Amino acid sequence: MGDNKNIESATFGNGCFWCTEAVFQQLKGVEKVTSGYSGGHVENPTYEQVCSKQTGHAEVLRIDYDPSIIGFDELLEVFWATHDPTTLNQQGNDIGPQYRSVIFYHNEEQKEKAEKYKQQLDKSGAFDKPIVTAIEPLTNFFAAENYHRDYYKNHSSQPYCYFVIKPKMDKIKKVFADKLKQ
């Protein structure tokens, strides 16, 4: 009975995918999170190529979710709450176009919701500076190498994970407690 789920996908770039993969994996209704690369011109790029800033790709997450449990709106809420959408090509100490804030929409409905949410956030003054998040059609997605998968889960004691990812996880647990898997 559970195999007839209607699964949809969202693709977000909000900084280093090591940081953000763990956040979305915690959400009820999220079936799978795949780290990868989108928005560039190189086919099947390697992590090293993307880090060279020559491919045009952003580090992204493809989030496969069950819309009967969690909606695209809620994913957008978590997306904007867990990174700084006002810094161009930068998240904290991670600098470069691969870290840009971007939503790659899969359909018109996602595009409209993302644009509406961005406008509302900008008007609300939730951030001190204007939101620079790009909203672009999804043209490609290449899964990242296997060693990037479940990075936080497998390396949580590393300094990067402890100082950069753990605070995001703590915030998620506070702000979105009702949306988390048990």
Side-chain angles (χ1 to χ4, degrees):
M1 195 162 150
D3 291 344
N4 296 335
K5 288 183 193 162
N6 174 26
I7 301 300
E8 293 182 13
S9 297
T11 304
F12 297 148
N14 47 333
C16 169
F17 48 39
W18 294 347
C19 299
T20 51
E21 174 195 60
V23 165
F24 285 97
Q25 285 174 333
Q26 302 293 311
L27 300 173
K28 276 189 272 192
V30 170
E31 298 286 316
K32 185 178 174 194
V33 179
T34 308
S35 294
Y37 315 109
S38 284
H41 54 272
V42 175
E43 292 284 313
N44 298 308
T46 64
Y47 180 66
E48 287 70 27
Q49 285 176 306
V50 172
C51 288
S52 77
K53 305 173 185 169
Q54 304 301 308
T55 66
H57 285 293
E59 287 191 21
V60 299
L61 300 174
R62 186 178 64 210
I63 301 155
D64 297 324
Y65 64 99
D66 181 343
S68 70
I69 299 172
I70 190 166
F72 185 70
D73 303 69
E74 294 166 293
L75 294 174
L76 283 174
E77 197 179 329
V78 174
F79 166 80
W80 265 298
T82 52
H83 79 295
D84 182 350
T86 69
T87 51
L88 193 62
N89 298 333
Q90 177 178 359
Q91 287 303 310
N93 291 329
D94 294 330
I95 298 171
Q98 70 272 34
Y99 301 119
R100 67 189 181 270
S101 176
V102 58
I103 296 165
F104 290 106
Y105 58 85
H106 291 242
N107 55 47
E108 279 302 307
E109 184 188 8
Q110 284 187 358
K111 177 186 178 186
E112 287 167 19
K113 285 182 175 185
E115 286 175 346
K116 184 177 165 201
Y117 201 123
K118 180 179 169 181
Q119 287 170 348
Q120 288 173 339
L121 262 184
D122 251 343
K123 278 187 198 148
S124 76
F127 296 97
D128 296 343
K129 298 177 283 197
I131 294 171
V132 297
T133 304
I135 299 170
E136 303 170 7
L138 179 72
T139 55
N140 55 25
F141 175 84
F142 303 100
E145 298 85 342
N146 284 338
Y147 70 90
H148 295 295
R149 301 215 173 100
D150 296 321
Y151 195 86
Y152 180 71
K153 217 181 279 179
N154 296 330
H155 303 280
S156 60
S157 62
Q158 282 189 356
Y160 183 87
C161 293
Y162 189 79
F163 290 107
V164 179
I165 304 174
K166 188 177 180 304
K168 288 178 190 270
M169 297 300 287
D170 293 344
K171 180 178 181 178
I172 277 293
K173 287 176 182 156
K174 275 190 200 129
V175 179
F176 298 104
D178 59 323
K179 295 183 186 352
L180 300 182
K181 295 174 182 168
Q182 296 307 319

